[in-house]
Amino acid sequence: MLKALANAFKIPDLKKRLVYTLLMLVVFRVGTAIPVPGIKVDVIKSMVQQQAGLLSFYDIVSGGALSNFTIFALSVGPYITSSIIIQLLAVAIPALEDMQKSGEEGRKKIMQITRWTTVGLALLQSSALAVGFFRSALVSQDPLNVISVLLTLTAGSAFLMWLGEQITEFGIGNGISILIFAGIVSRIPGGAIRAYEMTRTGELNPAEMIIFLAVSIAIIVGVIEVLEAVRKVPVQHAKRVVGRKTYGGQSTHIPIKINQAGVIPVIFASSIMMLPQMLTMFIKNPSYVSFVNKYLSTQNQTGVYIYILLEFFLVIGFTYFYVSIIFKPDEIADNLKNSNGFIPGVRPGRNTEIYLDTVSNRLTLAGAIFLAILSAIPRLILSLTHVPFYFGGTSLIIVVGVALETMKAIEAQMVMRHYQGFLR
């Protein structure tokens, strides 16, 4: 692998892209250290620690920018949310669906709509943070100070969106995914140092740390296996004779992934489960706050199991929902029929659609259960051990998935130039 990486830097164009990506990541890390003016950072840190179950994931994705309340505190969350919203709306709004199918010009229009939606969501989320969650952290309640905080957070999120697009165009891999990857990975050294210090002073049992590492490695192996696993549905194209030449007749396949939905169902489920805790910031009814803290909070021994169980079923439900949106067996069946292709043993048309839908549902069940278990394991580990950092589940899927995709992008560039790549 080291030899392959050295070969990558021998290719001028690939070297330029790799260096550009690294420089943009440096810009990202510098931005996560620039605090938002007009905010008491120590108050923010204490509030994030108190609401660890609610804000820990967002703090990890932002690379600690949320707890330090820097200009990148919102991270790329508004962009991801707006992308998902536009993707879902395209199913219900014919105009958006037509844009998606109209090639490069339509893609540019969709991207423009996504950008403006991102800015709107960033402004909304910054208002919720500054005026809602962290209102007590404001240095002054003066409108000018509040507006300054809102505009700084919104501008930081918009800049990250632009930075991600630049990495995608001039660097390697998907820029937004790489920024999330960098944010998550940047927390590992600090967590490892804290774990070592706690182990050395006796606060953390070495056996707990060993178990945590073993489970983390097992999760990484499982994530790689599931992300790379596909069901190859065989397709045969009928032969046709035109003059003296024979066309078609080749065998191909339709790759259907076990985990078609990625981490989106986990994000959806986490957002739903966090809603009751978020409402406690605004609803001060004692009975409601007591109920949420007892039964729907990961900070409570009883609540953590109820929380995990509800999230488990929500992940499964959202997985089926999202796959039903992105996987279109009717369109695939029509395309096969129009290209004189068919699945051996299955009639073209309606029967092919039913067959593909059945295969997809079976694979989705396996992928959904895997995602649900993966989202539950980190919370169980945190509730049963004293490991000082949250790293697992959704974070691991993102890290491993982005690493694999980036390796494949580098691999493709190297294979084009006859160099041996990472994958063999």
Side-chain angles (χ1 to χ4, degrees):
M1 182 174 177
L2 293 175
K3 184 179 178 181
L5 190 60
N7 286 336
F9 276 92
K10 291 178 183 178
I11 304 171
D13 181 55
L14 185 53
K15 178 182 177 181
K16 183 179 178 181
R17 286 179 172 273
L18 289 170
V19 171
Y20 185 88
T21 302
L22 291 173
L23 290 175
M24 291 300 101
L25 290 179
V26 170
V27 173
F28 168 65
R29 291 307 301 162
V30 169
T32 56
I34 302 174
V36 175
I39 289 287
K40 302 173 186 175
V41 178
D42 54 336
V43 176
I44 298 287
K45 287 184 177 180
S46 64
M47 292 180 70
V48 170
Q49 289 175 357
Q50 292 172 6
Q51 298 289 335
L54 179 63
L55 301 173
S56 58
F57 176 71
Y58 295 103
D59 193 39
I60 288 172
V61 171
S62 66
L66 179 61
S67 58
N68 294 317
F69 216 72
T70 67
I71 59 174
F72 293 160
L74 295 181
S75 188
V76 292
Y79 179 82
I80 294 172
T81 305
S82 66
S83 298
I84 295 171
I85 289 173
I86 297 301
Q87 194 172 11
L88 294 176
L89 287 178
V91 179
I93 302 176
L96 288 176
E97 188 176 7
D98 291 340
M99 286 183 194
Q100 285 186 332
K101 296 178 180 179
S102 58
E104 184 66 21
E105 193 62 32
R107 190 187 70 82
K108 288 181 180 179
K109 291 179 180 178
I110 289 286
M111 282 301 300
Q112 195 64 23
I113 295 172
T114 304
R115 291 188 190 107
W116 282 111
T117 307
T118 299
V119 173
L121 285 174
L123 189 59
L124 184 64
Q125 288 185 24
S126 61
S127 301
L129 284 178
V131 182
F133 283 144
F134 303 135
R135 187 179 185 87
S136 59
L138 290 169
V139 172
S140 168
Q141 301 290 335
D142 183 73
L144 188 61
N145 184 55
V146 174
I147 292 172
S148 172
V149 171
L150 298 186
L151 292 180
T152 301
L153 290 173
T154 303
S157 184
F159 179 79
L160 277 185
M161 174 180 65
W162 175 84
L163 200 67
E165 291 178 356
Q166 296 304 300
I167 293 175
T168 302
E169 186 173 355
F170 301 109
I172 284 287
N174 182 288
I176 299 297
S177 299
I178 288 176
L179 291 177
I180 297 174
F181 173 89
I184 295 172
V185 171
S186 68
R187 303 302 301 276
I188 297 177
I193 292 171
R194 287 199 305 275
Y196 171 76
E197 290 296 328
M198 290 178 68
T199 304
R200 190 174 59 84
T201 57
E203 296 179 59
L204 179 64
N205 190 331
E208 291 183 349
M209 195 63 205
I210 293 171
I211 292 171
F212 172 78
L213 292 174
V215 171
S216 297
I217 293 171
I219 290 175
I220 290 172
V221 173
V223 169
I224 293 173
E225 291 292 333
V226 172
L227 288 180
E228 293 295 288
V230 294
R231 165 74 184 276
K232 296 179 179 179
V233 178
V235 174
Q236 182 70 40
H237 288 272
K239 292 182 179 179
R240 54 193 180 94
V241 179
V242 180
R244 294 183 179 182
K245 294 184 178 180
T246 302
Y247 297 91
Q250 73 270 23
S251 298
T252 58
H253 66 268
I254 302 171
I256 304 177
K257 287 189 172 185
I258 291 180
N259 181 26
Q260 299 181 69
V263 296
I264 290 177
V266 180
I267 295 172
F268 279 2
S270 299
S271 300
I272 295 295
M273 291 305 300
M274 287 177 184
L275 187 60
Q277 296 178 59
M278 291 173 65
L279 291 177
T280 59
M281 306 289 290
F282 306 98
I283 300 175
K284 300 301 182 181
N285 186 294
S287 59
Y288 173 77
V289 173
S290 175
F291 175 83
V292 171
N293 290 336
K294 184 176 182 180
Y295 297 109
L296 297 175
S297 173
T298 56
Q299 307 301 310
N300 182 282
Q301 195 64 33
T302 303
V304 68
Y305 297 110
I306 297 175
Y307 188 102
I308 289 171
L309 187 63
L310 290 174
E311 189 178 44
F312 184 91
F313 289 109
L314 280 174
V315 169
I316 293 176
F318 279 124
T319 302
Y320 271 97
F321 170 73
Y322 192 71
V323 170
S324 68
I325 292 175
I326 63 174
F327 184 75
K328 304 290 185 182
D330 54 338
E331 294 181 4
I332 297 174
D334 289 340
N335 292 336
L336 283 177
K337 189 176 181 180
N338 294 335
S339 62
N340 292 321
F342 63 93
I343 298 171
V346 181
R347 284 180 172 272
R350 176 63 178 166
N351 288 352
T352 298
E353 179 186 339
I354 294 172
Y355 176 80
L356 290 173
D357 191 48
T358 302
V359 171
S360 175
N361 286 335
R362 289 175 179 173
L363 293 175
T364 300
L365 178 61
I369 292 175
F370 170 79
L371 283 178
I373 292 174
L374 207 58
S375 65
I377 287 175
R379 299 193 189 281
L380 284 173
I381 291 176
L382 286 174
S383 65
L384 298 175
T385 68
H386 301 89
V387 177
F389 55 94
Y390 181 98
F391 187 69
T394 308
S395 304
L396 277 176
I397 296 177
I398 294 172
V399 168
V400 175
V402 173
L404 288 173
E405 289 301 319
T406 306
M407 282 175 59
K408 288 178 181 177
I410 297 174
E411 175 83 6
Q413 293 279 341
M414 296 180 70
V415 169
M416 286 171 58
R417 294 162 177 81
H418 310 293
Y419 277 93
Q420 190 175 32
F422 297 98
L423 309 176
R424 296 183 182 180

